Amino acid sequence: MGICYHCGKEVDPPVRCPYCNLTFCDEHLPQKAHNCIALSSNLQGIKPEPVTKTIHYVQPEEDEEIQRPRPRTVKRKKTSFLGQGITKQKVLIVVLTLALSLASVLMLWQWEPDDDGPPVGPVFPISKETIEQQEYVLTLINKERVKEELPELTLNNNSIAQRYAEELLRTGNLKNNPDLPANMGENLMYFEGEDFNVTIVLDALIYDMVYDDADYEWGNRDNILYDEYTAVSIGVAYDENNLYLVQDFS
């Protein structure tokens, strides 16, 4: 049950005006009968303002337990001013490698023989007694050169003759050194005996080379007295029964 908004009469069932949405009886239901608000507004040329809704946005509270992912930072690779992909560490490695290579080459150069001289090579340890014997042989050679008015030879500081003399003593195979440079001359002498004196044997061997060398076509004498030789490497190796003397002239 409803009430007519125009006359106050009870209405059952209530009927509403489709324009103003108010309840009226059958008599006052027409717009003109109840002076409908919508009708009076249209007659005055005033259009009712549309009803607008105001939407309020509520900022949701951030859940403390949920952590937002942080933006990912990508680091750029460092590049050297020398070019893409070339770093200071790589340059340092290259420099160190070149330095070590250069040092190795310089060491090899120190071991290589001169064009006009014998190969020097690494010097092996030689006893004081062996050095004295080498110097004694050099003295005997220079005595013979002085007699022929030739310049004296100097003792070569390499150990090519000494190493070969020790090899001959070990193998017992008397032959010229196959590894000797072609620009060097070589004398080999051998003595076999018991309880011998090394100094006396060396005297006898040098004498035979100079004055009794016919069996060798005077080749040993020619090497000792060759005027273009300036140095000699000497090797003396012996045991209880054998002695080997090697002379490499250059």
Side-chain angles (χ1 to χ4, degrees):
M1 182 178 291
I3 298 177
C4 178
Y5 277 83
H6 186 76
C7 63
K9 181 180 178 180
E10 293 183 356
V11 181
D12 187 23
V15 182
R16 295 179 179 275
C17 174
Y19 299 99
C20 63
N21 202 27
L22 296 177
T23 303
F24 298 98
C25 61
D26 293 336
E27 182 181 356
H28 296 109
L29 182 61
Q31 284 183 291
K32 291 183 179 181
H34 65 265
N35 295 324
C36 183
I37 298 175
L39 181 61
S40 60
S41 299
N42 290 333
L43 292 175
Q44 296 176 5
I46 301 174
K47 295 181 180 181
E49 295 181 1
V51 179
T52 59
K53 294 183 179 181
T54 302
I55 301 175
H56 298 279
Y57 292 93
V58 180
Q59 181 70 23
E61 295 182 0
E62 183 178 0
D63 191 352
E64 295 181 356
E65 296 181 357
I66 301 176
Q67 296 182 356
R68 295 183 179 180
R70 297 181 179 179
R72 184 178 180 183
T73 303
V74 180
K75 295 183 178 180
R76 298 181 61 185
K77 294 183 178 180
K78 295 182 179 180
T79 56
S80 172
F81 62 94
L82 297 176
Q84 183 70 22
I86 301 177
T87 62
K88 293 182 179 179
Q89 289 79 3
K90 291 182 180 180
V91 174
L92 181 59
I93 292 174
V94 173
V95 171
L96 291 177
T97 303
L98 293 177
L100 291 175
S101 301
L102 181 59
S104 300
V105 171
L106 292 176
M107 291 177 65
L108 291 175
W109 281 352
Q110 292 179 356
W111 291 349
E112 291 181 355
D114 297 331
D115 295 337
D116 298 331
V120 177
V123 177
F124 290 84
I126 299 177
S127 66
K128 180 180 178 181
E129 182 181 9
T130 301
I131 295 176
E132 293 176 350
Q133 294 166 356
Q134 293 174 347
E135 292 176 347
Y136 182 69
V137 173
L138 178 64
T139 300
L140 297 177
I141 292 174
N142 283 332
K143 283 183 179 180
E144 301 300 330
R145 290 180 65 88
V146 170
K147 291 179 183 179
E148 300 296 329
E149 298 182 353
L150 297 172
E152 296 183 10
L153 301 180
T154 59
L155 184 63
N156 201 319
N157 62 356
N158 66 36
S159 58
I160 182 173
Q162 182 62 36
R163 283 184 286 132
Y164 193 63
E166 294 173 359
E167 181 178 348
L168 293 178
L169 179 65
R170 179 178 58 84
T171 62
N173 186 12
L174 186 64
K175 65 177 182 178
N176 289 101
N177 187 351
D179 298 325
L180 195 71
N183 62 338
M184 296 183 68
E186 183 172 70
N187 289 351
L188 300 180
M189 294 299 290
Y190 165 71
F191 174 83
E192 183 178 6
E194 295 181 0
D195 299 329
F196 58 84
N197 183 286
V198 175
T199 301
I200 295 176
V201 171
L202 293 176
D203 284 330
L205 293 179
I206 297 299
Y207 181 87
D208 290 343
M209 288 182 184
V210 177
Y211 299 102
D212 191 13
D213 197 46
D215 291 341
Y216 300 97
E217 299 180 356
W218 304 98
N220 293 319
R221 173 187 171 92
D222 291 343
N223 283 334
I224 291 175
L225 300 180
Y226 188 47
D227 58 350
E228 292 188 7
Y229 286 145
T230 59
V232 60
S233 176
I234 299 173
V236 180
Y238 58 91
D239 55 19
E240 295 178 354
N241 301 312
N242 304 282
L243 183 146
Y244 289 88
L245 173 62
V246 179
Q247 300 168 348
D248 292 328
F249 299 89
S250 56

